[in-house]
Amino acid sequence: MAGEGRTEGSGKSGQLDFPRPLTTVDVVIFAILDDRLQVLLVQRPAGEGEPFPLSLALPGGFVDVAKDRDLAACAARKLQEKTGVTSPYLEQLGSWGSATRDPRGWSATHAYFALVPTQASVLTSDARWCPISGGRLKEKLAFDHGDILATAIQRLRNKVEYTSLPAYLMPAEFTLPDLQRVYEIVLDRPLEKSAFRTRILSADMIEPVAKMRRGPNRPAQLYRLKKSKEPVYFVRTFNPPE
Amino acid sequence: MAGEGRTEGSGKSGQLDFPRPLTTVDVVIFAILDDRLQVLLVQRPAGEGEPFPLSLALPGGFVDVAKDRDLAACAARKLQEKTGVTSPYLEQLGSWGSATRDPRGWSATHAYFALVPTQASVLTSDARWCPISGGRLKEKLAFDHGDILATAIQRLRNKVEYTSLPAYLMPAEFTLPDLQRVYEIVLDRPLEKSAFRTRILSADMIEPVAKMRRGPNRPAQLYRLKKSKEPVYFVRTFNPPE
DNA sequence: ATAGTTAGTTGTACAGTCCAACTTACTTAG
DNA sequence: CTAAGTAAGTTGGACTGTACAACTAACTAT
């Protein structure tokens, strides 16, 4: 272990000559598929010296100081590499760093969380969607990625309570019942139809398109997201959450 | 610059032999002093090779892979070193990393934000409280610490709108009007007395002590925080914030 | 035609804020 | 001893938006 992670220190003062932690970025990518909330996971490689070989993990990896201008660019790059999606909702989740989370040494990861619209993803071969049931993932993950994912789910649920975040999970055109269903999937509880409609429609975040969704029942109005960048924050949560 | 930040890579696979970013932790420490929101800042040292010599900056510094078990411990250590305070409110704020934020090379900082009770601080000589007026700081800060501070102020204001966070800024015993005043200082707008009282009292977060605050007017009931760990989240914000 | 299902509306109850006036308890000036 | 002043704390009506539940609307399938 001696000398690992120690910098050579070319500066005149030599003050940078001390061990540096490893720096990575990981991305929790959510989508709605099969009427469930799913997260994108990759399988760890099996090479020599690789930690957690063949385990499932969040997509991510080391910051490339040559390629990545900043952390957000690094996260966007990893999202793009895995899903082909370029500009969905991408928010910083937090960072996790400790001496023990990576067997290769003191490491810190910067975690992001992304919401991608249904159907828009072209996955790489090592990546796959895994359903989240009951607010948890079945599988065990590499590193502390289970903790990171749990935090992401909690953050998502929390924000869905009072923001328009689920709009970023929708396809280009959708109906109000579609949107309500996504809220309900994420929150894992039913919502009031009329209060939901009032809230969404008065938030000025979606606009009707001149089409209806036709089906076996009464047709439903189709909407699309207005091209407003920021999510909407409501001044109340839905139900008293407990 | 050549070779700076490059690790020696002692592992058998050699896959860790690439440049590592610098890793730091910075803490935004808030307190109420002189009826204003203030933030703790330190003066940068003036030594050879030091960036931003003598500028004001957030307290923080490099992660010490020998001393710091994890990021939160590192933040707590820096808080303790500067203020002598041990266990106030400490929350992760986010991370900032880019090729350009530190002239010494690609660096990433993990920012925390802390709320410390009025009067409980014993500062080191290089640290001082600086008032935030109109939601901004007068002084320019080193690195991107101005951005980090702005984010912290925004986060604080945002959360104060629907949480009990200001309780962590209060001294051991305080009155309801005291607490309301702190809310108003942070939000920079007046709040409704009766709605405020109803909200706080029904939140089960404070309990009366058997004493009154006496003054030139009608005495006010003194309260203290219940020893509940987590802040309370309200289901509404106060005013429609705009 | 009729039953079934989902979309969407309507109306009453209720919770909590907003606003403003009010009562209470103290100090200080005359 | 009283009166004025001030801040603490209460009360009540208006308003906003959710909860709940019943309703109407529009379509398909039998």
Side-chain angles (χ1 to χ4, degrees), chain B residues 169-183:
Chain B
L169 294 166
M170 306 305 291
E173 297 185 348
F174 54 89
T175 67
L176 276 175
D178 290 345
L179 182 59
Q180 181 174 349
R181 179 71 191 128
V182 171
Y183 270 84

Side-chain angles (χ1 to χ4, degrees), chain A residues 7 11-13 28 52 67 88 96 99 108 159 173 181 195 199 202 219 221-222 234 238 242:
Chain A
T7 67
K12 38 202 165 203
S13 72
V28 183
F52 300 95
K67 271 201 277 194
W96 279 256
K159 289 192 109 165
E173 298 186 347
R181 179 71 191 130
R199 169 181 288 210
S202 62
Q221 179 65 53
L222 280 167
F234 306 111
F238 277 107
E242 51 244 61

Side-chain angles (χ1 to χ4, degrees), chain B residues 105-199:
Chain B
W106 221 108
S107 84
T109 194
H110 303 263
Y112 281 75
F113 101 81
L115 304 177
V116 306
T118 297
Q119 115 268 34
S121 51
V122 183
L123 300 187
T124 57
S125 63
D126 62 333
R128 63 171 221 251
W129 293 105
C130 297
I132 289 163
S133 41
R136 319 196 120 277
L137 190 73
K138 280 263 178 11
E139 297 85 348
K140 282 262 171 283
L141 298 186
F143 305 104
D144 51 3
H145 288 189
D147 295 338
I148 297 174
L149 175 59
T151 302
I153 294 170
Q154 196 179 325
R155 166 91 65 101
L156 176 62
R157 284 192 167 183
N158 198 35
K159 289 192 108 167
V160 164
E161 201 76 58
Y162 59 92
T163 70
S164 64
L165 279 203
Y168 299 103
L169 294 166
M170 306 305 291
E173 297 185 348
F174 54 89
T175 67
L176 276 175
D178 290 345
L179 182 59
Q180 181 174 349
R181 179 71 191 128
V182 171
Y183 270 84
E184 292 174 340
I185 289 170
V186 175
L187 293 177
D188 199 25
R189 73 166 193 267
L191 294 181
E192 241 304 301
K193 186 168 46 163
S194 62
F196 181 82
R197 297 177 66 90
T198 306
R199 170 181 288 209

Side-chain angles (χ1 to χ4, degrees), chain B residues 32-38 178 181-182 185:
Chain B
I32 300 289
L33 294 162
D34 296 331
D35 211 42
R36 305 162 94 179
L37 181 64
Q38 310 225 14
D178 290 345
R181 179 71 191 128
V182 171
I185 289 170

